[in-house]
Structure formats: C-alpha cells, structure tokens
Amino acid sequence: MSSLDDVEDIFEKITEEFEEPIPIGGRCESNVYYRVESLTEEDLNICAEYVASRLHNVLAPQTPQLFLKLPGGFSFFAERLSAVYSELFNKGQEIPVEQYLESKMANGFGEKYRGKNAILVTDVITTARSSLEAHTRATLRGIKVLSWATLIDRTFGPGPVPVVSSFTGAPVRVLTQIG
C-alpha cells in the first residue's frame, strides 16, 4: 500500500516555487505551482492507491457507486481511482466513471444515477467553486455526493463533504470576487 512518504516524494519532484505570484486557474495566484502534467504513470498509480485507501477509511461503511469526473483534468485520475478502489475495496467489481457535464446532467444523466453514492474527482481543487457547483447540481438531481477526491487540495477549508487528496498544496490567493 502506498504511504504518505511515497506521495510526498512524488509532489516534491513536481513543485515549482516563484518569487512573484503566478496566475492559477484564472481566479487565483500563488508562489507555488505543481506540474501535474509531469506526473508519471507510476506516480499517478501510487496517488490513486493512496487516495483509494483514504476514501475507504473516511467513507466506511458507505461505498461509492459512481465516480464523477469534473472537467479540466489532465491525468485520468478518476479512471485510475475507480480502477484501484474497485480492485481493493469492491471485490473487483467496476465502479463506473462518468464525465460530469451540466448538459449530460440536464438530459437524463442525473436520473440514471439518482440515489447513487458518488465521489467528485478532479486533479486539483483551488477555490472549490467548480466542485461546489457540481456537488450542488448533482445533489439537486438526487445523486448523493459522499466526498471530493483530488490529487492536490488547495482549498481554503472544509466543504460540504470530506475532501480526500493525495497532497495538500500551498494556499492560493483569490484574484477576483467569487460568487
């Protein structure tokens, strides 16, 4: 099983620090940037195993029945997380991964998964705005969001459910009004 030390070593390799803050995601800035695109297949698999184990510990006795992949990721982390979680904690039975798109949610997708336990997955969460919006829309369609899962959590604090990440990143500064 992957350890915290393994994960910290991985993120140390992709961390860049700057004297002047750089823009991140259009609404934030930080002096620290994580090159998620530089993660190797092995790195991503270690992170998926670590997050799957943490999810299992946080959610027990509940189990996910769906992984909702938020737009904007580069790593296919949701697919890796689903595969690892399914193998380790769901007796090898595959848990579906669906791309979260509002157009799909409005066109019957929400009904297909009404009442199901879901995990929202993305590579990096900064302000949590897009995760919170997706969480709210999924919940309004009857999908039970149990947790958010991510490679890197850079949020300002707790959300409506636990955020389970492989790494807690440096804080960000918001550049524009949120809301």
Short mmCIF file of all heavy atoms in Angstrom, two decimals, residues 103-150:
data_model
loop_
_atom_site.label_atom_id
_atom_site.label_comp_id
_atom_site.label_asym_id
_atom_site.label_seq_id
_atom_site.Cartn_x
_atom_site.Cartn_y
_atom_site.Cartn_z
N SER A 103 -24.67 19.60 -19.27
CA SER A 103 -25.58 19.20 -20.35
C SER A 103 -26.02 17.74 -20.19
O SER A 103 -27.18 17.41 -20.43
CB SER A 103 -24.93 19.42 -21.72
OG SER A 103 -23.73 18.67 -21.82
N LYS A 104 -25.11 16.87 -19.75
CA LYS A 104 -25.47 15.47 -19.50
C LYS A 104 -26.42 15.36 -18.31
O LYS A 104 -27.37 14.59 -18.33
CB LYS A 104 -24.22 14.63 -19.22
CG LYS A 104 -23.43 14.23 -20.44
CD LYS A 104 -22.17 13.49 -20.07
CE LYS A 104 -22.42 12.06 -19.71
NZ LYS A 104 -21.17 11.29 -19.53
N MET A 105 -26.13 16.14 -17.27
CA MET A 105 -26.96 16.10 -16.06
C MET A 105 -28.39 16.50 -16.39
O MET A 105 -29.34 15.92 -15.88
CB MET A 105 -26.39 17.01 -14.98
CG MET A 105 -25.05 16.58 -14.44
SD MET A 105 -25.11 15.03 -13.55
CE MET A 105 -25.79 15.59 -12.00
N ALA A 106 -28.54 17.50 -17.26
CA ALA A 106 -29.86 18.01 -17.60
C ALA A 106 -30.60 17.10 -18.59
O ALA A 106 -31.82 17.19 -18.71
CB ALA A 106 -29.73 19.42 -18.18
N ASN A 107 -29.88 16.23 -19.27
CA ASN A 107 -30.50 15.37 -20.29
C ASN A 107 -30.70 13.94 -19.83
O ASN A 107 -30.48 13.00 -20.58
CB ASN A 107 -29.65 15.38 -21.57
CG ASN A 107 -29.74 16.70 -22.29
OD1 ASN A 107 -30.76 17.35 -22.25
ND2 ASN A 107 -28.66 17.11 -22.92
N GLY A 108 -31.08 13.74 -18.59
CA GLY A 108 -31.40 12.40 -18.10
C GLY A 108 -30.29 11.68 -17.38
O GLY A 108 -30.52 10.67 -16.73
N PHE A 109 -29.07 12.18 -17.48
CA PHE A 109 -27.93 11.57 -16.80
C PHE A 109 -28.18 11.54 -15.29
O PHE A 109 -27.91 10.55 -14.63
CB PHE A 109 -26.67 12.37 -17.14
CG PHE A 109 -25.44 11.94 -16.39
CD1 PHE A 109 -24.72 10.82 -16.78
CD2 PHE A 109 -24.99 12.67 -15.31
CE1 PHE A 109 -23.58 10.44 -16.10
CE2 PHE A 109 -23.85 12.30 -14.63
CZ PHE A 109 -23.15 11.18 -15.03
N GLY A 110 -28.70 12.64 -14.75
CA GLY A 110 -28.99 12.72 -13.32
C GLY A 110 -29.96 11.64 -12.86
O GLY A 110 -29.80 11.05 -11.81
N GLU A 111 -30.96 11.35 -13.69
CA GLU A 111 -31.94 10.32 -13.35
C GLU A 111 -31.31 8.94 -13.31
O GLU A 111 -31.66 8.12 -12.47
CB GLU A 111 -33.09 10.33 -14.37
CG GLU A 111 -34.15 11.35 -14.09
CD GLU A 111 -34.78 11.22 -12.71
OE1 GLU A 111 -35.18 10.10 -12.30
OE2 GLU A 111 -34.84 12.24 -12.01
N LYS A 112 -30.38 8.68 -14.21
CA LYS A 112 -29.72 7.37 -14.27
C LYS A 112 -29.03 7.04 -12.95
O LYS A 112 -28.98 5.88 -12.55
CB LYS A 112 -28.70 7.37 -15.41
CG LYS A 112 -27.94 6.08 -15.58
CD LYS A 112 -26.99 6.16 -16.77
CE LYS A 112 -26.19 4.89 -16.91
NZ LYS A 112 -25.25 4.95 -18.04
N TYR A 113 -28.49 8.06 -12.30
CA TYR A 113 -27.72 7.84 -11.07
C TYR A 113 -28.42 8.37 -9.81
O TYR A 113 -27.80 8.44 -8.76
CB TYR A 113 -26.32 8.45 -11.22
CG TYR A 113 -25.51 7.70 -12.24
CD1 TYR A 113 -25.22 8.26 -13.47
CD2 TYR A 113 -25.06 6.40 -11.98
CE1 TYR A 113 -24.49 7.55 -14.41
CE2 TYR A 113 -24.35 5.69 -12.92
CZ TYR A 113 -24.06 6.27 -14.13
OH TYR A 113 -23.35 5.57 -15.06
N ARG A 114 -29.70 8.69 -9.92
CA ARG A 114 -30.45 9.15 -8.75
C ARG A 114 -30.35 8.11 -7.63
O ARG A 114 -30.50 6.92 -7.85
CB ARG A 114 -31.91 9.37 -9.11
CG ARG A 114 -32.77 9.83 -7.93
CD ARG A 114 -34.20 10.13 -8.33
NE ARG A 114 -34.30 11.27 -9.23
CZ ARG A 114 -34.26 12.54 -8.83
NH1 ARG A 114 -34.16 12.82 -7.56
NH2 ARG A 114 -34.35 13.52 -9.70
N GLY A 115 -30.02 8.57 -6.42
CA GLY A 115 -29.91 7.70 -5.27
C GLY A 115 -28.56 7.01 -5.12
O GLY A 115 -28.32 6.32 -4.13
N LYS A 116 -27.67 7.17 -6.09
CA LYS A 116 -26.35 6.52 -6.04
C LYS A 116 -25.38 7.36 -5.21
O LYS A 116 -25.46 8.58 -5.15
CB LYS A 116 -25.76 6.35 -7.44
CG LYS A 116 -26.60 5.50 -8.36
CD LYS A 116 -26.58 4.06 -7.95
CE LYS A 116 -27.34 3.23 -8.98
NZ LYS A 116 -27.60 1.90 -8.54
N ASN A 117 -24.43 6.66 -4.56
CA ASN A 117 -23.35 7.31 -3.81
C ASN A 117 -22.22 7.66 -4.78
O ASN A 117 -21.70 6.76 -5.45
CB ASN A 117 -22.81 6.38 -2.73
CG ASN A 117 -23.80 6.12 -1.63
OD1 ASN A 117 -24.71 6.91 -1.39
ND2 ASN A 117 -23.63 5.00 -0.96
N ALA A 118 -21.84 8.94 -4.82
CA ALA A 118 -20.85 9.38 -5.79
C ALA A 118 -19.67 10.08 -5.13
O ALA A 118 -19.80 10.65 -4.04
CB ALA A 118 -21.50 10.33 -6.80
N ILE A 119 -18.55 10.06 -5.84
CA ILE A 119 -17.34 10.80 -5.47
C ILE A 119 -17.06 11.75 -6.63
O ILE A 119 -16.98 11.31 -7.78
CB ILE A 119 -16.12 9.87 -5.29
CG1 ILE A 119 -16.41 8.73 -4.32
CG2 ILE A 119 -14.89 10.67 -4.90
CD1 ILE A 119 -16.67 9.14 -2.91
N LEU A 120 -16.91 13.05 -6.35
CA LEU A 120 -16.48 14.00 -7.37
C LEU A 120 -14.96 13.95 -7.44
O LEU A 120 -14.29 14.00 -6.40
CB LEU A 120 -16.91 15.43 -7.02
CG LEU A 120 -18.40 15.74 -7.03
CD1 LEU A 120 -18.62 17.21 -6.65
CD2 LEU A 120 -19.01 15.46 -8.38
N VAL A 121 -14.40 13.86 -8.65
CA VAL A 121 -12.96 13.70 -8.80
C VAL A 121 -12.41 14.75 -9.75
O VAL A 121 -12.99 15.00 -10.82
CB VAL A 121 -12.60 12.29 -9.34
CG1 VAL A 121 -11.09 12.10 -9.37
CG2 VAL A 121 -13.27 11.20 -8.52
N THR A 122 -11.28 15.34 -9.37
CA THR A 122 -10.56 16.28 -10.22
C THR A 122 -9.08 16.22 -9.88
O THR A 122 -8.71 15.63 -8.87
CB THR A 122 -11.12 17.71 -10.07
OG1 THR A 122 -10.58 18.55 -11.08
CG2 THR A 122 -10.84 18.29 -8.70
N ASP A 123 -8.25 16.80 -10.72
CA ASP A 123 -6.81 16.78 -10.46
C ASP A 123 -6.43 17.71 -9.30
O ASP A 123 -5.73 17.31 -8.39
CB ASP A 123 -6.03 17.19 -11.70
CG ASP A 123 -6.00 16.13 -12.78
OD1 ASP A 123 -6.50 15.01 -12.54
OD2 ASP A 123 -5.49 16.42 -13.87
N VAL A 124 -6.89 18.97 -9.38
CA VAL A 124 -6.53 19.97 -8.37
C VAL A 124 -7.76 20.78 -8.02
O VAL A 124 -8.49 21.23 -8.91
CB VAL A 124 -5.43 20.93 -8.91
CG1 VAL A 124 -5.03 21.95 -7.85
CG2 VAL A 124 -4.20 20.15 -9.37
N ILE A 125 -8.00 20.99 -6.73
CA ILE A 125 -9.06 21.88 -6.27
C ILE A 125 -8.37 23.11 -5.68
O ILE A 125 -7.52 22.98 -4.80
CB ILE A 125 -9.95 21.22 -5.20
CG1 ILE A 125 -10.68 20.01 -5.75
CG2 ILE A 125 -10.94 22.24 -4.65
CD1 ILE A 125 -11.51 19.27 -4.71
N THR A 126 -8.76 24.31 -6.16
CA THR A 126 -8.19 25.53 -5.59
C THR A 126 -9.23 26.23 -4.72
O THR A 126 -9.23 26.06 -3.52
CB THR A 126 -7.66 26.48 -6.69
OG1 THR A 126 -8.69 26.71 -7.65
CG2 THR A 126 -6.44 25.90 -7.37
N THR A 127 -10.15 26.96 -5.32
CA THR A 127 -11.16 27.67 -4.51
C THR A 127 -12.36 26.80 -4.19
O THR A 127 -13.19 27.19 -3.38
CB THR A 127 -11.67 28.91 -5.27
OG1 THR A 127 -12.30 28.48 -6.48
CG2 THR A 127 -10.54 29.88 -5.56
N ALA A 128 -12.49 25.68 -4.84
CA ALA A 128 -13.60 24.72 -4.68
C ALA A 128 -14.88 25.20 -5.35
O ALA A 128 -15.91 24.55 -5.24
CB ALA A 128 -13.86 24.37 -3.21
N ARG A 129 -14.84 26.30 -6.08
CA ARG A 129 -16.04 26.83 -6.71
C ARG A 129 -16.66 25.83 -7.68
O ARG A 129 -17.86 25.55 -7.60
CB ARG A 129 -15.72 28.14 -7.42
CG ARG A 129 -16.92 28.77 -8.06
CD ARG A 129 -16.56 30.07 -8.71
NE ARG A 129 -17.72 30.62 -9.38
CZ ARG A 129 -17.68 31.73 -10.07
NH1 ARG A 129 -16.57 32.42 -10.17
NH2 ARG A 129 -18.76 32.16 -10.66
N SER A 130 -15.88 25.29 -8.62
CA SER A 130 -16.45 24.37 -9.60
C SER A 130 -16.89 23.07 -8.94
O SER A 130 -17.91 22.48 -9.31
CB SER A 130 -15.46 24.09 -10.74
OG SER A 130 -14.27 23.56 -10.24
N SER A 131 -16.15 22.61 -7.92
CA SER A 131 -16.55 21.40 -7.20
C SER A 131 -17.86 21.62 -6.45
O SER A 131 -18.73 20.75 -6.44
CB SER A 131 -15.46 20.98 -6.22
OG SER A 131 -14.27 20.67 -6.91
N LEU A 132 -17.99 22.78 -5.83
CA LEU A 132 -19.21 23.08 -5.08
C LEU A 132 -20.41 23.19 -6.02
O LEU A 132 -21.50 22.69 -5.72
CB LEU A 132 -19.03 24.36 -4.27
CG LEU A 132 -20.15 24.71 -3.32
CD1 LEU A 132 -20.40 23.58 -2.33
CD2 LEU A 132 -19.82 26.00 -2.57
N GLU A 133 -20.20 23.82 -7.18
CA GLU A 133 -21.29 23.92 -8.15
C GLU A 133 -21.71 22.53 -8.64
O GLU A 133 -22.90 22.23 -8.72
CB GLU A 133 -20.87 24.79 -9.33
CG GLU A 133 -20.78 26.26 -8.98
CD GLU A 133 -20.16 27.12 -10.08
OE1 GLU A 133 -19.71 26.56 -11.12
OE2 GLU A 133 -20.11 28.35 -9.91
N ALA A 134 -20.75 21.69 -8.98
CA ALA A 134 -21.06 20.34 -9.43
C ALA A 134 -21.74 19.54 -8.32
O ALA A 134 -22.71 18.81 -8.57
CB ALA A 134 -19.78 19.63 -9.89
N HIS A 135 -21.24 19.68 -7.10
CA HIS A 135 -21.83 19.00 -5.95
C HIS A 135 -23.30 19.39 -5.80
O HIS A 135 -24.17 18.53 -5.65
CB HIS A 135 -21.04 19.38 -4.69
CG HIS A 135 -21.57 18.76 -3.44
ND1 HIS A 135 -20.79 17.97 -2.65
CD2 HIS A 135 -22.78 18.80 -2.84
CE1 HIS A 135 -21.50 17.56 -1.62
NE2 HIS A 135 -22.72 18.06 -1.71
N THR A 136 -23.56 20.68 -5.86
CA THR A 136 -24.93 21.18 -5.70
C THR A 136 -25.84 20.65 -6.79
O THR A 136 -26.93 20.15 -6.52
CB THR A 136 -24.94 22.72 -5.70
OG1 THR A 136 -24.12 23.18 -4.62
CG2 THR A 136 -26.34 23.27 -5.55
N ARG A 137 -25.39 20.72 -8.03
CA ARG A 137 -26.22 20.26 -9.15
C ARG A 137 -26.46 18.76 -9.10
O ARG A 137 -27.56 18.29 -9.39
CB ARG A 137 -25.59 20.67 -10.46
CG ARG A 137 -25.70 22.18 -10.67
CD ARG A 137 -25.21 22.59 -12.03
NE ARG A 137 -25.47 24.01 -12.20
CZ ARG A 137 -24.57 24.87 -12.63
NH1 ARG A 137 -23.36 24.44 -12.95
NH2 ARG A 137 -24.88 26.13 -12.77
N ALA A 138 -25.45 18.00 -8.74
CA ALA A 138 -25.64 16.55 -8.62
C ALA A 138 -26.62 16.23 -7.49
O ALA A 138 -27.52 15.39 -7.66
CB ALA A 138 -24.29 15.87 -8.36
N THR A 139 -26.46 16.91 -6.37
CA THR A 139 -27.35 16.68 -5.22
C THR A 139 -28.80 17.03 -5.57
O THR A 139 -29.73 16.31 -5.20
CB THR A 139 -26.86 17.50 -4.01
OG1 THR A 139 -25.53 17.09 -3.68
CG2 THR A 139 -27.76 17.29 -2.80
N LEU A 140 -29.00 18.12 -6.29
CA LEU A 140 -30.35 18.52 -6.69
C LEU A 140 -31.00 17.48 -7.62
O LEU A 140 -32.21 17.40 -7.71
CB LEU A 140 -30.34 19.88 -7.38
CG LEU A 140 -30.09 21.06 -6.44
CD1 LEU A 140 -29.89 22.36 -7.24
CD2 LEU A 140 -31.23 21.21 -5.43
N ARG A 141 -30.17 16.68 -8.27
CA ARG A 141 -30.68 15.61 -9.14
C ARG A 141 -30.73 14.26 -8.43
O ARG A 141 -30.92 13.22 -9.06
CB ARG A 141 -29.84 15.54 -10.40
CG ARG A 141 -30.15 16.74 -11.31
CD ARG A 141 -29.39 16.70 -12.60
NE ARG A 141 -29.87 17.71 -13.52
CZ ARG A 141 -29.56 19.00 -13.47
NH1 ARG A 141 -28.81 19.45 -12.49
NH2 ARG A 141 -30.03 19.85 -14.36
N GLY A 142 -30.55 14.28 -7.12
CA GLY A 142 -30.72 13.06 -6.33
C GLY A 142 -29.49 12.18 -6.21
O GLY A 142 -29.58 11.06 -5.71
N ILE A 143 -28.34 12.66 -6.66
CA ILE A 143 -27.10 11.90 -6.52
C ILE A 143 -26.48 12.28 -5.17
O ILE A 143 -26.34 13.46 -4.86
CB ILE A 143 -26.12 12.21 -7.68
CG1 ILE A 143 -26.75 11.80 -9.01
CG2 ILE A 143 -24.79 11.51 -7.45
CD1 ILE A 143 -25.98 12.30 -10.22
N LYS A 144 -26.13 11.28 -4.38
CA LYS A 144 -25.55 11.53 -3.05
C LYS A 144 -24.03 11.66 -3.18
O LYS A 144 -23.35 10.66 -3.41
CB LYS A 144 -25.89 10.38 -2.10
CG LYS A 144 -27.36 10.18 -1.87
CD LYS A 144 -27.56 8.97 -0.96
CE LYS A 144 -28.88 8.32 -1.24
NZ LYS A 144 -28.99 7.02 -0.56
N VAL A 145 -23.52 12.86 -3.04
CA VAL A 145 -22.08 13.08 -3.12
C VAL A 145 -21.49 12.82 -1.74
O VAL A 145 -21.80 13.53 -0.78
CB VAL A 145 -21.74 14.50 -3.62
CG1 VAL A 145 -20.23 14.71 -3.66
CG2 VAL A 145 -22.36 14.73 -5.00
N LEU A 146 -20.65 11.79 -1.64
CA LEU A 146 -20.05 11.40 -0.35
C LEU A 146 -18.76 12.15 -0.06
O LEU A 146 -18.41 12.37 1.10
CB LEU A 146 -19.75 9.90 -0.35
CG LEU A 146 -20.90 8.94 -0.56
CD1 LEU A 146 -20.39 7.50 -0.57
CD2 LEU A 146 -21.97 9.13 0.50
N SER A 147 -18.01 12.49 -1.12
CA SER A 147 -16.70 13.09 -0.93
C SER A 147 -16.22 13.70 -2.23
O SER A 147 -16.75 13.40 -3.30
CB SER A 147 -15.70 12.01 -0.48
OG SER A 147 -14.42 12.53 -0.32
N TRP A 148 -15.23 14.57 -2.12
CA TRP A 148 -14.48 15.05 -3.28
C TRP A 148 -13.11 14.39 -3.19
O TRP A 148 -12.51 14.34 -2.12
CB TRP A 148 -14.31 16.56 -3.25
CG TRP A 148 -15.59 17.35 -3.22
CD1 TRP A 148 -16.86 16.90 -3.45
CD2 TRP A 148 -15.71 18.74 -2.93
NE1 TRP A 148 -17.75 17.93 -3.33
CE2 TRP A 148 -17.07 19.08 -3.01
CE3 TRP A 148 -14.80 19.75 -2.62
CZ2 TRP A 148 -17.54 20.38 -2.78
CZ3 TRP A 148 -15.27 21.03 -2.40
CH2 TRP A 148 -16.61 21.33 -2.49
N ALA A 149 -12.59 13.92 -4.31
CA ALA A 149 -11.26 13.30 -4.33
C ALA A 149 -10.41 14.05 -5.35
O ALA A 149 -10.88 14.43 -6.41
CB ALA A 149 -11.37 11.83 -4.71
N THR A 150 -9.14 14.23 -5.00
CA THR A 150 -8.26 15.01 -5.84
C THR A 150 -6.81 14.63 -5.63
O THR A 150 -6.45 14.09 -4.59
CB THR A 150 -8.48 16.52 -5.56
OG1 THR A 150 -7.67 17.30 -6.42
CG2 THR A 150 -8.18 16.86 -4.13
#
